[in-house]
C-alpha cells in the first residue's frame, strides 16, 4: 500500500521577491508540509558552464538569500512547517561549520529541518570555493559522512581523502535522531548508488515521467541488496496529474514539491493557491 503523499513548495528566496517569512506563513496556512530553499553563494560572471535547463541563466540564481538564514527566519514564524534545503551545495562548504548550522537550525525549529544536499553543476562557482569539479562527488560523500559523525558522536573524527580531522567537540546536536534526514539530490546516472551509500532519501528534480518509475523500482532493488528498508523519495518539480502522483506513490515517492516563481507576494500567493488545487485534486477534494 502506498504511503500518503506529503506536499511541499520550493522557491529561490530572493531580495526582490516575496519575503521568505511571509511565504512560510502562507505555506503553513495553506496546509503544505514543507518549504524548500536552494543555494548558490554567487554566480561567476564568466558563465562558462552552460545552464542545465538551457538558455540564459535566470537572475534569481545570484540574488538568492543564504538558505540557512532564510529558513531560520521562517522557523521563527511558523509552528508545523518543515524546512528544507533543496539543495545545499555541501561541496562549497566547510563540513564542520555546516554540521553546526544544520544542528542549530534543527534544534531552533524543534526538529523540523530536512537536509537536501548536492554537488552542483556550476564548475566556476565550485572552483571559487577551492573545489575541484572532478572530485566533487567524493567531496560530497565525505562531507556528509563527516557531518553524520559530528551529529552523532561526542568526540567525532573523520579521515577521508578530502575531508580529514582528528577528534572534535561540537554541540548542539540535532533534535532529530540520529540526525535530520539527508536527501541526496540529482538525476544523474550514479545518483541511486549515492543515495544508498550515504543518503536517507532521494530527491530528483523535474523527472522525465516515462523513465521515472523504472528508476524508483531500481532504487528499491538497490536498497534491498544493501539490506536497507525502502528509501523515501521527494520529487522536486512534481507532476500536477493525480494519476501520475498516485503511480509515483505506489512506487516509493513520499513527497511532491512544487516550484514557485521568484515574484512579488501577489503572484506567489496566486501560484501557491494553484498548487493547493493540485493537492486537492489528488486527494479527491
Amino acid at each position: 500500500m502506498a504511503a500518503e503523499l506529503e506536499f511541499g513548495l520550493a522557491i529561490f528566496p530572493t531580495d526582490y521577491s516575496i519575503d521568505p517569512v511571509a511565504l512560510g506563513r502562507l505555506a503553513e496556512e495553506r496546509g503544505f508540509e514543507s518549504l524548500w530553499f536552494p543555494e548558490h553563494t554567487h554566480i561567476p560572471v564568466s558563465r562558462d558552464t552552460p545552464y542545465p535547463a538551457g538558455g540564459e541563466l535566470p537572475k534569481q540564481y545570484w540574488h538568492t538569500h543564504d538558505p540557512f538564514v532564510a529558513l531560520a527566519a521562517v522557523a521563527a514564524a511558523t509552528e508545523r512547517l518543515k524546512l528544507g534545503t533543496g539543495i545545499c551545495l555541501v561541496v562549497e562548504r566547510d563540513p564542520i561549520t555546516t554540521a553546526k548550522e544544520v544542528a542549530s537550525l534543527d534544534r531552533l525549529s524543534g526538529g523540523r529541518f530536512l537536509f537536501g544536499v548536492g554537488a552542483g553543476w556550476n564548475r566556476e562557482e565550485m572552483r571559487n570555493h577551492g573545489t575541484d569539479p572532478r572530485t566533487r562527488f567524493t567531496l560530497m560523500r565525505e562531507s556528509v559522512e563527516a557531518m553524520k559523525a559530528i551529529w552523532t558522536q561526542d568526540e567525532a573524527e573523520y579521515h577521508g581523502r578530502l575531508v580529514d580531522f582528528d577528534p572534535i567537540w561540537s554541540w548542539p546536536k540535532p533534535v532529530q535522531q540520529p540526525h535530520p534526514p539527508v536527501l541526496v539530490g540529482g538525476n544523474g546516472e550514479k545518483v541511486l548508488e549515492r543515495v544508498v551509500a550515504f543518503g536517507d532519501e532521494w530527491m530528483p528534480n523535474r523527472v522525465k515521467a516515462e523513465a521515472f518509475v523504472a528508476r524508483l523500482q531500481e532504487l528499491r532493488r538497490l536498497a534491498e541488496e544493501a539490506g536497507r528498508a525502502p528509501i523515501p523519495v521527494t520529487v522536486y518539480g512534481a507532476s500536477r496529474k493525480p494519476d501520475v502522483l498516485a503511480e509515483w506513490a505506489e512506487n516509493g515517492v513520499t513527497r511532491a514539491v512544487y516550484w514557485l516563481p521568484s515574484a512579488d507576494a501577489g503572484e506567489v500567493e496566486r501560484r501557491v493557491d494553484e498548487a493547493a488545487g493540485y493537492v486537492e485534486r489528488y486527494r479527491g477534494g
Side-chain angles (χ1 to χ4, degrees), residues 60-212:
Q60 64 203 33
Y61 277 78
W62 62 92
H63 280 263
T64 191
H65 290 299
D66 176 272
F68 289 95
V69 174
L71 289 170
V74 175
T78 56
E79 296 179 355
R80 303 175 306 279
L81 190 70
K82 293 184 179 180
L83 313 156
T85 50
I87 57 173
C88 174
L89 293 170
V90 293
V91 302
E92 298 178 1
R93 288 175 157 269
D94 176 86
I96 298 174
T97 302
T98 306
K100 183 174 285 287
E101 289 185 324
V102 168
S104 297
L105 182 51
D106 194 57
R107 291 203 73 86
L108 293 172
S109 67
R112 290 187 279 148
F113 184 58
L114 303 168
F115 192 31
V117 302
W121 56 270
N122 191 308
R123 287 167 171 76
E124 303 87 74
E125 182 181 352
M126 297 172 208
R127 291 191 186 103
N128 284 350
H129 287 281
T131 296
D132 184 342
R134 296 171 297 180
T135 58
R136 68 187 186 277
F137 291 109
T138 297
L139 179 58
M140 178 171 71
R141 175 180 57 79
E142 291 188 1
S143 293
V144 170
E145 291 174 349
M147 286 187 280
K148 286 184 176 182
I150 294 170
W151 296 326
T152 59
Q153 299 172 20
D154 287 352
E155 295 187 354
E157 63 182 295
Y158 186 85
H159 303 286
R161 184 159 66 93
L162 302 174
V163 177
D164 183 53
F165 54 86
D166 290 330
I168 63 172
W169 294 326
S170 179
W171 269 262
K173 302 299 185 185
V175 171
Q176 297 182 78
Q177 295 297 316
H179 51 71
V182 175
L183 293 83
V184 177
N187 299 22
E189 181 181 350
K190 296 181 179 179
V191 68
L192 300 185
E193 285 80 2
R194 296 185 188 106
V195 172
V196 173
F198 61 86
D200 301 302
E201 301 187 23
W202 179 32
M203 188 167 63
N205 185 22
R206 293 191 173 98
V207 299
K208 295 181 179 179
E210 61 273 13
F212 184 48

Side-chain angles (χ1 to χ4, degrees), residues 196-258:
V196 173
F198 61 86
D200 301 302
E201 301 187 23
W202 179 32
M203 188 167 63
N205 185 22
R206 293 191 173 98
V207 299
K208 295 181 179 179
E210 61 273 13
F212 184 48
V213 170
R215 296 209 79 184
L216 292 171
Q217 294 170 347
E218 182 184 1
L219 177 61
R220 181 174 297 177
R221 177 183 61 80
L222 291 172
E224 288 177 355
E225 290 177 355
R228 294 189 55 176
I231 295 173
V233 178
T234 291
V235 178
Y236 235 53
S239 175
R240 305 171 182 180
K241 299 177 180 178
D243 57 334
V244 173
L245 292 170
E247 183 181 25
W248 289 358
E250 288 289 340
N251 285 277
V253 172
T254 55
R255 182 183 293 113
V257 177
Y258 294 112

